Amino acid sequence: MKIGIIGAGSIGGTLTRRLSALGHEVRVSNSRSPETLSELAAETGAHAVWSSEAALDADLVIVSIPQKNVPDLAAGIVDTAKDGAPIIETNNYYPQQRDGLIADIENGKPESVWVAEHLGSRGADVVKVFNGIYWKHLLEKGQPKSAADRIALPVAGADGPGKALVFDVVEQLGFEPVDGGALADSWRQHPGTPVYGKDFDADGVKAALAEATTERAPEWSAAPA
């Protein structure tokens, strides 16, 4: 599969490593020049490209950048992917720790819905996954389907071939995909929810998603003025 990755931080870089090792053709970019990713490219065999080139002809695109930087993405940055290609977004809103106030999210809009709106015409293809797993566990703790201690990951997005493809990618990486509902339900896996940062099995993920509430914990809200 051709996979374009926009963002080469902890999660984006880890997915570059894992997906390249599985034999996928990976194009990876960051907010700077391809030369700044030369070590990652040499290590993995991935192609370091400008961010405007990452999605070109991709079967799958992954956006893994700080939430505050989403509005800075070039218009149409994912539009060069193949028709129907899903757009995974792994982002989290960290208002006190990094991102500052994003009013729409503070007022209740799910983080992934906000990201999808900024991705324009391809927003309908957005799927939320990988936002709550520690990057070292993503790198090291994938297990065969038969493993009793296999970690499960919630996947939120519209039902259809795109979401099914994302389920398959999660499986390939050695994790158990659990249906997290539509993109509008992705708040159930936000920072501070029962599933976030936990290495639950499938039953544990389902229970944690069901226990989530829309109330944002103080540490995951913008600091009062």
Side-chain angles (χ1 to χ4, degrees):
M1 223 176 12
K2 294 182 179 179
I3 300 175
I5 300 180
I6 299 170
S10 295
I11 296 295
T14 297
L15 288 169
T16 298
R17 291 177 173 89
R18 293 292 322 278
L19 292 167
S20 295
L22 288 169
H24 296 293
E25 181 182 330
V26 177
R27 297 161 68 91
V28 61
S29 68
N30 60 15
S31 59
R32 295 168 290 161
S33 69
E35 288 76 18
T36 62
L37 294 173
S38 58
E39 290 186 9
L40 180 62
E43 173 193 342
T44 63
H47 304 284
V49 298
W50 293 99
S51 59
S52 60
E53 301 171 336
L56 184 63
D57 200 35
D59 301 289
L60 171 69
V61 180
I62 300 169
V63 177
S64 187
I65 64 175
Q67 196 82 349
K68 65 180 180 179
N69 294 346
V70 170
D72 298 329
L73 291 172
I77 194 167
V78 298
D79 288 354
T80 56
K82 291 178 181 175
D83 289 344
I87 315 298
I88 289 176
E89 77 95 7
T90 77
N91 304 357
N92 290 306
Y93 174 49
Y94 298 139
Q96 296 181 40
Q97 300 83 354
R98 181 190 63 199
D99 297 316
L101 171 67
I102 299 176
D104 282 348
I105 296 176
E106 284 285 331
N107 292 333
K109 182 171 290 185
E111 298 167 17
S112 298
V113 172
W114 183 84
V115 172
E117 290 174 354
H118 283 278
L119 293 177
S121 63
R122 295 303 295 265
D125 303 322
V126 169
V127 178
K128 181 79 161 190
V129 66
F130 304 125
N131 71 295
I133 185 170
Y134 181 41
W135 70 268
K136 284 189 177 180
H137 294 183
L138 180 60
L139 181 66
E140 300 170 352
K141 291 198 171 185
Q143 297 283 344
K145 192 173 180 65
S146 58
D149 58 347
R150 198 180 200 213
I151 296 170
L153 300 178
V155 182
D159 291 337
K163 191 174 183 179
L165 177 62
V166 174
F167 266 53
D168 181 58
V169 169
V170 173
E171 286 275 10
Q172 289 181 42
L173 291 166
F175 302 95
E176 186 76 20
V178 172
D179 194 340
L183 199 66
D185 300 312
S186 60
W187 58 268
R188 294 183 180 276
Q189 60 197 77
H190 284 177
T193 60
V195 78
Y196 180 78
K198 305 296 194 302
D199 290 340
F200 292 141
D201 63 10
D203 288 340
V205 167
K206 292 173 185 176
L209 292 174
E211 293 169 6
T213 69
T214 56
E215 182 178 359
R216 189 174 288 275
E219 64 268 32
W220 304 111
S221 298

